[in-house]
Amino acid sequence: MPAPCLVWFHGGGMVLGTPEADDARVSAYAREVGCVVVSVAYRLAPEHPHPVPVEDCYRALRWTTGRARALGIDPQRLAVGGISAGGGLAAATALLARDRGGPALALQLLLCPMLDDRNTTPSSREFSRAVAWPRADNLFGWSALLGPLAGTEAVPPYAAPARAADLSGLPAAYVDVGELEVFRDECARYALRLAEAGVPAEFRLWPGAFHGFDGALPRVALSRRAAAEQVAVLRRALGGR
């Protein structure tokens, strides 16, 4: 029987990271959910600015559905997901899939996603010092991706999904974020806007948590709770075991 599939985008602030960095995480998804995971090596900024990274991600999604039989997957049970920059790219890929007529998605799994280049929320200003990914790093990542357009009204939603005026018609979403990180407020607002647009949206704010806490400290109780919730969400959306 064909398996469900998660197309996964790694983190790294648009400038760093490899698919291998998330092997432990996605291997757990594959094992616990019974899904195939396609982990994407998208090209990085600043050498490859927008729209290269998101177009790579969308192309990988199309590649996956085009080879569903060979990969042993059910294209009707398909999700995109990612963490940090990869979460932002997953949200942008979902926008592209909606606006380009497919592929159809059952879920967007957005873990502490990087969504808004404007950096004007209270949390984006609060964490000039942070355990991981402080404000200066975030400004650098967006600048690398967008160059002089960063923070201007010329930035398209496929680069920064928080810019999207219309979030209707998107697949169901799970959004999580730590309480003590730059992305806290933009993630909360994006989840609320999804719900307001009629998109089934689940939001989790992890108390006392920093950016990427569950990967950095996988054995602590809060990280185990987060990991278990991610697996449960994927099972519900994809019908895994």
Side-chain angles (χ1 to χ4, degrees), residues 5-139:
C5 181
L6 170 65
V7 180
W8 179 261
F9 311 120
H10 66 80
M14 303 294 183
V15 296
L16 298 168
T18 65
E20 291 77 12
D22 289 343
D23 275 355
R25 179 186 299 275
V26 298
S27 294
Y29 295 158
R31 182 176 62 253
E32 299 296 330
V33 180
C35 63
V36 172
V37 179
V38 175
S39 198
V40 179
Y42 58 89
R43 287 172 287 180
L44 301 173
E47 292 83 3
H48 303 286
H50 179 77
V52 173
V54 70
E55 290 290 351
D56 282 354
C57 293
Y58 180 69
R59 190 176 301 113
L61 176 63
R62 295 295 301 267
W63 179 91
T64 300
T65 56
R67 289 159 180 79
R69 183 184 296 271
L71 294 171
I73 65 172
D74 179 357
Q76 302 304 311
R77 294 190 291 161
L78 182 65
V80 292
I83 187 167
S84 192
L89 287 166
T93 299
L95 286 166
L96 281 174
R98 179 197 66 179
D99 295 345
R100 295 180 180 177
L105 297 170
L107 177 72
Q108 43 183 329
L109 183 72
L110 312 179
L111 307 184
C112 52
M114 182 177 178
L115 298 168
D116 196 341
D117 66 294
R118 290 167 290 195
N119 288 280
T120 56
T121 65
S123 65
S124 74
R125 295 189 176 101
E126 180 179 355
F127 296 103
S128 58
R129 293 186 178 183
V131 175
W133 205 248
R135 178 178 174 84
D137 289 358
N138 200 44
L139 290 169

Side-chain angles (χ1 to χ4, degrees), residues 8 25 29 82-84 87-88 108-115 173-179 181 183-188 190-191 194 201-207 209-215 222-223 225-231 233:
W8 179 261
R25 179 186 299 275
Y29 295 158
I83 187 167
S84 192
Q108 43 183 329
L109 183 72
L110 312 179
L111 307 184
C112 52
M114 182 177 178
L115 298 168
Y174 176 83
V175 185
D176 85 345
V177 71
E179 179 187 12
E181 63 168 298
F183 296 145
R184 182 192 65 209
D185 298 342
E186 65 197 65
C187 291
Y190 196 72
L194 286 166
E202 187 172 352
F203 176 68
R204 179 69 71 181
L205 178 66
W206 296 108
F210 58 87
H211 184 66
F213 72 98
D214 58 331
L222 192 67
S223 296
R225 281 177 54 199
E229 191 161 301
Q230 293 158 24
V231 167
V233 166

Side-chain angles (χ1 to χ4, degrees), residues 137-163:
D137 289 358
N138 200 44
L139 290 169
F140 175 78
W142 282 115
S143 178
L145 182 71
L146 298 172
L149 294 182
T152 73
E153 292 307 309
V155 174
Y158 307 126
R163 300 276 197 157

